[in-house]
Amino acid sequence: MGDERNIFLSTMPTTRRDRMAALAVVGVSAVLFACAVPFAGVPLTPIPAFVASYQSALAINDLITAILLFSQFSISRSRAMLLLASGYLFTALAAIVHALTFPELFAPGGLLGAGTQTTVWLYMIWHGGFPLLVLGYALLKARDNERKIQGSTGAAVVTSIVAVGAAMAAFTWLVTAQHDRLPILLSGGHYTPIMLGVVSTVWCLSLAALIVLWLRRPHFVLDVWLMVVMCAWLFDIALSAILNVARFDVGFYLGRIYGLSAASFVLAVLLVENVGLQAKLARLLGSLRLQAASERDLRTERDSLFSAVVESSNDAIITKLLDGTITSWNGAAERLFGYTAAEAIGRHINLIVPPDRRDEIRNIIERIGRGEPIAHYKTSRMRKDGSTVDVSLSISPIRTASGKIVGVSKAAHDITESKRTQQALSQEIEERRRIFESSNDLIFVTDSAGNFIQVSPSVTAILGYHPSDMVGRSAIEFIHPDDLEHTRREMRAGRRGYSKRNFETRYVNKEGKAVALNWTGNWSEPVRRHFFIGRDLTEKQAAEAQLRHAQKMDAVGQLTGGVAHDFNNILTVITGTIGILEEAVADQPQLAAIAKLIDEAAERGANLTKHLLAFARKQPLQPVEVDVNALVLESAKLLNPTLGENIEITPLLAEDAWTALADPNLLTTAVLNLAINARDAMPNGGKLALETSNVFLDDNYASMHDEVTTGNYVMIAVSDTGSGISPALLERVFEPFFTTKEVGRGTGLGLSMVFGFVKQSGGHVKIYSEEGHGTSVKIYLPRATGLQQTTAEALVSAHVEGGNETVLVVEDDTLVRRYVMTQIESLGYTTLEASNASDALRFIDEVPAIDLLFTDVIMPGIMNGRQLVDEALKRRPGLKTLFTSGYTENAIVHHGRLDSGVLLLAKPYRKSELARMIRLALAS
């Protein structure tokens, strides 16, 4: 129900028109009152019938007004309205009692045992009680919105009627039966002082009610006309009880006319209100009829449209009762499931549910019964022919107007094709993700501004960064400055429509080194993205450099061999004829000395050609089985007086060393040459280690060195603690005539002779050197008994024990690191890789599950392998460690760079040795 102020005219806010009308009535009444005042005491002819007519009209007016106000109270429940209605009921009853007790109206002295003062007191009670109730109405109406009558309004009305009736009965008894006890108000036709006081009080009560009504805002229409009533009430009291002098004078008649007018104002407003409400009701009823007809037509049209939508829908729309009985079945359901509407309606929904999904239906109905809608529920259903179809269900409860759930509405969408498409898309996305994550090549996705959107995980191995380090940053930050403009041109060309670009650009890795990459680029206009695949050219360039070096060495060897051959021919003539010359000048000492100098020079030239032929691998060899231990010991004896006392020579020979297939003289020369070079690298003295051991060079090692053939070799290592060789010079040490010594010291042919001899013998030579640490040269000569593994050795090598622990591999050489990673992963281990000590320590801090640190001993940077292990053990005391190095274990310990007992795996090593050392390190 809405606010009663918007329902009743009497309780609507006043308008200017209402206020002007009320003011006009008050003004006319005041003018008439002013005109009547001088004549108030003029006696007129008594007309008893006037009193009866006036009292009857007054009682009827007030009674009707009370009834109307009580009816409004029953809707508004306003305490103020109940009080005002009671006031009008009080005046109606007072008017009736006043008429019954009026002298000479129904009896000479009045009925009900009235006395001479009865009517006067009744008048005062009547005209004092009504203003009091109006005053109560004015005080309560300001709070009326806050407090309403609770409970039955009928009971409240009856209670008010009983209370007013009881009060009126009490007043009647007081002024009749107790008449003689009341003060005298009229004596000899004149007012007594008590009368003046009483009538003044009554008049002031009316004035107070008027003032309070004026002050209590907002004003309603009823309030304005009540103020008019109270003005008329004041005029009534003034003319009837103050200004007149006797009954039936001008004041007496005019006062009653004012009283009757006062009773009519509110009644007139309420009657106008009722007429207005009836007109409103009639209009509303007509409007409702039109609306109902319109809604009926709209509902019919909507139902028709809904039916058309349901029938034309591509989704199967089905309704059913809560017990699962189908109640409707549209055309799409017929097409989807194969059943006609006649076949499906009235049957249980299990008609289309596979037997293994019957529990689904019970669960769905239970959820719908709780009022829970179900959206996009993916399941499968069964067609009439027995085949299944994948569907997406949207299920809602069907409710009555009262909200009770009586059924289920279900829309089924065929998702068989979309599911197949989604599966294919998911598979394609997964395949692309796998390619992206497992690619060894770099995969970059950038926006049009060159900012990285996606970076493949392979960036860690190639550039040292994690993908998160690069995503969101500009490629400019990583591209080599010299290649930046070239890269920009390629990207602009891609955006101009060239679908595929192939170019080389260098990136700068995390360590600040340039990495050459070959890029294939593509631009996608729909997504406005660049897609790049970059292949690391490091291995390719290294292989090309190695090939160029080998070709250069072969070319130099061919040239050197040719020169040495021709030079040998010349020397043959010189050495063949110098004897004749010496004999001819034997009697001439001065010429004989010159001839001797020529002979010595020819001898030196012959030795030089031997070295050149050795490097060119064209010297005549006489390979035999050589006991390398005996040869090394013999060489050590020769070296003791040659190297001097400040160099300590330590033979470290394998007890079970195999015999090697080589020319013993040339092998001795090679060892001596290496020892002499070591001496020159230790001018202030040092240590020289001569070692032998048995080695098997496997397929993995052979794949990294083109000249190596898989098989058994005898290794002879010459290691010193000298100044070492810088990386820039290390690649050139085997070139003929190249030397790092001072001018006049050495020919630069010592290492080239060793290189040529070993290669010609079918062996392999490897040099390891670090500035400030020393040099180790390893000669690998073929085993005399055969190049392949024996059956027993193969069985030992085949017994490989792996594991599932996590190994952190630290190696600065990219090729070696990848080789080691492959070997360790093939043993079942999980690997992490780092190219320097800083990256390794970051892994140690961030990854808790690292079981073994496998590190190279000598690494560039501020921290070598030994220092890395020391720092790692501070951060993780229980960490297992294993060292590897190109130096032999004996040389490393001998040089003092590792503590005694520290595990070291010397390069190269076979897979079985790697597996054994890892297990040994993990178990230590």
Side-chain angles (χ1 to χ4, degrees), residues 284-298:
L284 180 60
L285 184 59
S287 176
L288 288 175
R289 286 174 179 169
L290 290 175
Q291 185 178 353
S294 176
E295 288 182 354
R296 187 167 54 252
D297 295 340
L298 181 61

Side-chain angles (χ1 to χ4, degrees), residues 431-441 456-458:
E431 289 172 353
R432 291 185 179 183
R433 187 180 68 83
R434 291 292 183 185
I435 293 172
F436 184 80
E437 292 182 352
S438 61
S439 173
N440 288 326
D441 292 333
S456 64
S458 56

